[in-house]
Amino acid sequence: MPDTIRAADALARRLYAAGCRTAFGMPGGEVLTVIDALEAAGIRFILAKHENAAGFMAEGVHHRDGAPAILVGTIGPGTLNGVNTVANALQDQVPLIVLSGCMDADEAQRYTHQVVDQQAVFRPITKASFMLNAGAAHMIADKAVAIATEGRMGPVHIDVPISVAEGQVPAAPPPARVVASAAAPAGADLATARGWLEAAARPVMIVGVDALNQQAETAVTEFAEDHNIPVITTYKAKGILREDHALSLGGAGLSPRADTHLVPFVQSADLILCVGYDPIEMRPGWRDIWNPETQNVIDITAVPNHHYMHQSTLNFVTDCAATLHALSDGLDVRDTWEAGEIYQLKQSLAASFPGDEDWGPAAIIVTCRKVLPRETLASADSGAHRILLSQMWECYAPRDLMQSSALCTMGCAVPMAIGAKLASPDRPVVSFSGDAGFLMVAGELATAAELDLAPIFVVFVDASLALIEKKQRERQLVNHGVDFAQHNFAAMGVAFGGAGVTVRSRAELTEALETAQTADTFTVIAAVIERGAYDGRI
């Protein structure tokens, strides 16, 4: 074994040790050594058609294997193409490692072609930004993984100068760093919280992405069942309690229609447990919906509350699962919501999102959920369809529905589905896109074909930016900039090497889904709906 390796190899080996097995991006001369090092370490580099989509493919893999996601971009325009997906990773708490090629420092002082201060661009939208240097290559690699994955997860950027990537460093890394153990609260505040829990007659849990990232699903389920506490989740945390459970109230975040039921219920509670709840996913209608002076509110979070979307009566900056165990241990179970309020709320929510229409967005969602297997992985793009889908699509395990829930970026569903299918080839995978979002990333169908992947891409076709057009009408503004031509999306699927079908009824959709599940390649299903089909539904 050699005594020295390239600095790029030190970086790649640390990422492999963290569980990374794939990286996504587009190469340029400045990152060829990085890509070579990744491949040598056992990390497959996958060529995408755009860096922004590459980042979402990487996120799709992360949701399946739990390892940090990797995005590779070359100097200047390549790396800057990924800005949106990096900002999304910060808000949606995705541990994305961004590797960018850059000029050597001395060369950048006299050579201006494509030279951009990439660290200045990425510092505001990452947890940290490093410039790799040979002397600290092992340390920087380890710091990047630690910062990305500990506390609140998020992206870390590493600029890799050309000559540094080739520079020789000791092959042996420094001693491994010890990761902090999960901590639970103790003392007077814990005793107070336990007293509130023991006395609560109308408790409710609101569970968010911190709990998801801390893998607290078992603790959440056991706690809810032990104390008969209904659970509301953010959209990103859907499935942390399976949504066919009697105590699941489903997801919340962007639907005013759902809020008319969920907000009054929360306001009637005598104990509100916010478990890893980051309100960055919520619309303004969730701001200060409870009063911590008249209701007992316990916040369990990975970081202190600096958002001011709500306040609490007690705040534990601790591990979610450990804290739930500390709250619950030894307490007796008592009856809660004795007037049947949980069941009544579930019935009201179901009635507010009926799936019995002959054809339309709700019919598409209901049909897909009925036909596709229970273990199907789904992704949703931003738009009116995502709001409806997030309320109606039942999830039975964490991360079974992937979406951009904090930044709400368009164009994420198709690449997330590609990444998920690559990481879990034996699971059915479906993406749900509006036609505008699909057009942004249609070129990635070629990536799916090149990887021999067979996800199903469902497109809601109404030839408009449906959610924005709806808001425009509601404000009685003139129709501008929201409508476009109705394109042949099925033909796009065929053109890129897959299958394509256009459907206009439940029967046609059912047949298309059944055929797609046994196809050897991907299928684009263009589901044509009327304009204004979301009116009165979200």
Side-chain angles (χ1 to χ4, degrees), residues 206 232 252-267 277 279-291 308-310 471:
I206 305 175
I232 300 167
L254 296 178
S255 170
R257 196 173 186 86
D259 289 354
T260 61
H261 303 284
L262 292 172
V263 170
F265 183 82
V266 172
Q267 289 173 332
Y277 168 50
I280 195 171
E281 296 188 59
M282 312 302 277
R283 63 189 290 274
W286 279 74
R287 184 186 298 134
D288 292 327
I289 65 167
W290 54 73
N291 185 348
Y308 287 79
M309 271 284 286
H310 68 256
K471 291 180 179 180

Side-chain angles (χ1 to χ4, degrees), residues 116-134:
V116 178
D117 188 346
Q118 293 171 171
Q119 285 193 279
V121 173
F122 283 104
R123 281 192 188 101
I125 55 172
T126 58
K127 292 182 71 178
S129 177
F130 295 97
M131 176 75 73
L132 192 71
N133 66 75

Side-chain angles (χ1 to χ4, degrees), residues 212-235:
L212 183 77
N213 286 339
Q214 293 170 10
Q215 299 178 327
E217 54 268 25
T218 299
V220 167
T221 300
E222 291 177 351
F223 188 89
E225 291 176 344
D226 286 349
H227 301 282
N228 198 46
I229 302 179
V231 175
I232 300 167
T233 71
T234 64
Y235 288 164

Side-chain angles (χ1 to χ4, degrees), residues 315-448:
N315 186 9
F316 298 121
V317 182
T318 53
D319 178 79
C320 291
T323 302
L324 291 178
H325 289 312
L327 286 171
S328 182
D329 188 35
L331 291 188
D332 292 331
V333 178
R334 65 160 295 170
D335 291 334
T336 65
W337 301 99
E338 294 184 278
E341 296 94 336
I342 300 172
Y343 175 78
Q344 293 164 18
L345 177 55
K346 287 173 72 72
Q347 294 299 107
S348 297
L349 284 167
S352 293
F353 296 95
D356 57 355
E357 62 183 0
D358 289 338
W359 183 243
I364 294 167
I365 295 166
V366 169
T367 302
C368 288
R369 183 68 281 186
K370 179 181 178 181
V371 174
L372 294 173
R374 184 181 177 92
E375 70 271 18
T376 296
L377 303 174
S379 62
D381 217 349
S382 286
H385 70 282
R386 178 174 78 95
I387 300 175
L388 190 62
L389 185 88
S390 295
Q391 298 299 147
M392 297 186 68
W393 182 267
E394 276 197 348
C395 290
Y396 308 115
R399 302 181 191 275
D400 275 8
L401 177 61
M402 302 168 290
Q403 54 183 290
S404 171
S405 191
L407 194 61
C408 294
T409 189
M410 293 174 67
C412 69
V414 165
M416 278 185 179
I418 292 172
K421 188 65 174 177
L422 181 67
S424 297
D426 296 332
R427 297 277 297 270
V429 176
V430 62
S431 79
F432 295 97
S433 302
D435 40 10
F438 188 85
L439 287 170
M440 291 180 177
V441 293
E444 298 303 339
L445 296 178
T447 306

Side-chain angles (χ1 to χ4, degrees), residues 64-83:
R64 304 322 312 157
D65 67 12
I70 304 176
L71 170 64
V72 180
T74 193
I75 190 171
T79 292
L80 297 184
N81 270 345
V83 164

